[in-house]
Amino acid sequence: REVISRRHLIEVLLASASQPLLMPPVQISPDVDQHVHGGLASAAPLAQAIAHGATTIYTVMLTPPEAPPARQHFGWVGGTGWRFLEVMAEKLLVNDLRRALDTNRVLRERAALEARAAELLDDEHYRALFAEDSDDNGHNGSERRLLDLYVIHPERGLPGDGRTFSPAAARDLMTRGTEAVHLALAAGPLEGWPGADHEG
């Protein structure tokens, strides 16, 4: 929605930074509703990007693709809550990206099938076989398209967490991030999920 004032912008930024369970929700004037950070519900808003015509998507992860369990002791409920939010965000993001890769795989297989059918069938039978039918949401198959999906991620877990800030640590993270970008661009768009059997 449109930002209508400086105060409104500040409220929006505060709400976007409000971590559920750990921070109080923020009321954005003139709404009566309260708001929190929405990243847990849509960590990688791929659907919105695709709906706006995106064909190349770059996603930045703050954890390795297959993050190991946290090897630490949680002595208070806030620490447990923070870890719960981290795990939920990671799982949602990974699931969104895997679905996008699965869609890519299906589209490639369909294209190969269509090409083979075009060689074997006459025009009438080909059109009958591949007529586009709308799904339950009113979308048809021609609207789905291959994505060039790049995932930028650290090779190992990053130090610290989002609750603390240190200029030296931030510089180190920026260096690591630059290296991860170069690696992701050199590798090209993902065909399958890193470090895992994507077909499984």
Side-chain angles (χ1 to χ4, degrees):
R1 283 175 272 180
E2 183 180 356
V3 175
I4 57 176
S5 67
R6 182 177 184 275
R7 175 186 173 189
H8 190 236
L9 175 61
I10 292 172
E11 290 171 345
V12 168
L13 293 174
L14 288 173
S16 180
S18 176
Q19 300 291 337
L21 301 181
L22 301 179
M23 302 177 184
V26 176
Q27 182 174 338
I28 300 177
S29 305
D31 292 352
V32 295
D33 296 329
Q34 293 178 309
H35 303 269
V36 295
H37 173 54
L40 289 181
S42 184
L46 302 181
Q48 293 91 323
I50 295 167
H52 283 83
T55 56
T56 301
I57 294 177
Y58 301 87
T59 301
V60 179
M61 296 182 64
L62 300 181
T63 57
E66 298 296 330
R71 301 299 182 192
Q72 63 188 94
H73 178 75
F74 298 101
W76 66 294
V77 68
T80 306
W82 181 265
R83 180 57 186 158
F84 170 76
L85 293 177
E86 286 182 331
V87 170
M88 287 297 296
E90 290 167 9
K91 294 297 183 186
L92 287 169
L93 174 59
V94 168
N95 288 341
D96 283 351
L97 295 171
R98 285 194 178 212
R99 275 194 295 271
L101 290 171
D102 284 341
T103 299
N104 271 357
R105 179 173 51 82
V106 169
L107 289 173
R108 289 191 188 97
E109 291 173 355
R110 176 178 172 136
L113 179 62
E114 288 187 17
R116 183 60 176 155
E119 296 174 1
L120 301 175
L121 302 176
D122 58 49
D123 289 346
E124 180 182 351
H125 287 92
Y126 177 86
R127 286 194 299 270
L129 182 61
F130 291 103
E132 297 291 358
D133 294 321
S134 295
D135 63 18
D136 293 338
N137 297 317
H139 303 122
N140 73 41
S142 63
E143 294 176 352
R144 300 184 181 92
R145 58 186 175 276
L146 282 170
L147 297 174
D148 286 333
L149 182 61
Y150 294 82
V151 176
I152 300 161
H153 60 85
E155 294 298 317
R156 59 188 184 281
L158 299 175
D161 57 44
R163 295 169 292 174
T164 58
F165 176 77
S166 154
R171 285 191 293 272
D172 176 57
L173 292 176
M174 290 176 68
T175 299
R176 292 194 193 192
T178 301
E179 293 170 353
V181 168
H182 290 309
L183 288 173
L185 295 180
L190 284 186
E191 296 284 334
W193 191 248
D197 180 6
H198 183 58
E199 297 300 323

